Amino acid sequence: MPELVIAPGDLTDPRVLRLLEDHLADMHATSPAESVHALDVSGLSDPAVTFWAVSDGEAVLGCVALKQLSPEHGELKSMRADAAARGQGLGRRLLEHVLDEARSRGYARISLETGTEDFFAPARALYEKAGFTVCPPFGSYELDPNSAFYTLELAPGA
């Protein structure tokens, strides 16, 4: 694995914008529009959202965000690995980063929404391996056959 740096992401950086455009394009190509819950730049700019980019030198390889739903509950958002960086453990590293941040904020739980299509199978496997379990819709989400909902209870001080 290259020497990766995970740092606050610059939502004006053209490399980050390309990654986010690719992410949204994949979501819209895979799921019906009403089932796409990925955040665009304006959504990622919300004060309740913290956004990180991961880079290796000059290359931006991925991103992830954490949205505060309440003082005890966070939502994993916009996790993306560039197509050229997939299969190298980047998703696991990004997920660990968000879980560490959620614990440091004192969250008791972190939840996420992902797709049910085959395209999302690697993501669902990653979340399940990390201990996430299927849950009902949370926050403002509604039951949707194209959405899978997961949650993870975070041990205090872990």
Side-chain angles (χ1 to χ4, degrees), residues 33-122:
E34 65 274 9
S35 298
V36 174
H37 303 288
L39 297 177
D40 61 10
V41 171
S42 66
L44 291 168
S45 299
D46 184 305
V49 176
T50 305
F51 175 77
W52 296 274
V54 59
S55 59
D56 175 22
E58 291 298 312
V60 174
L61 302 178
C63 62
V64 68
L66 179 60
K67 180 177 183 179
Q68 181 170 313
L69 300 177
S70 78
E72 298 84 29
H73 189 194
E75 180 181 4
L76 177 74
K77 296 294 292 181
S78 300
M79 193 159 89
R80 170 76 178 197
D82 187 68
R86 292 192 185 137
Q88 300 175 32
L90 186 59
R92 181 184 48 76
R93 294 270 304 267
L94 289 167
L95 182 58
E96 288 171 358
H97 179 81
V98 167
L99 293 177
D100 288 346
E101 177 65 20
R103 287 183 184 101
S104 75
R105 292 180 182 188
Y107 291 169
R109 178 167 61 119
I110 187 165
S111 302
L112 65 93
E113 178 275 340
T114 191
T116 58
E117 295 87 352
D118 289 344
F119 177 85
F120 299 101

Side-chain angles (χ1 to χ4, degrees), residues 6 16-17 20 22-23 33 60 76 100 109 115 118 126 141 150:
I6 300 174
V16 170
L17 294 174
L20 294 172
D22 290 350
H23 182 60
V60 174
L76 177 74
D100 288 346
R109 178 167 61 119
D118 289 344
L126 173 68
Y141 291 107
Y150 287 86

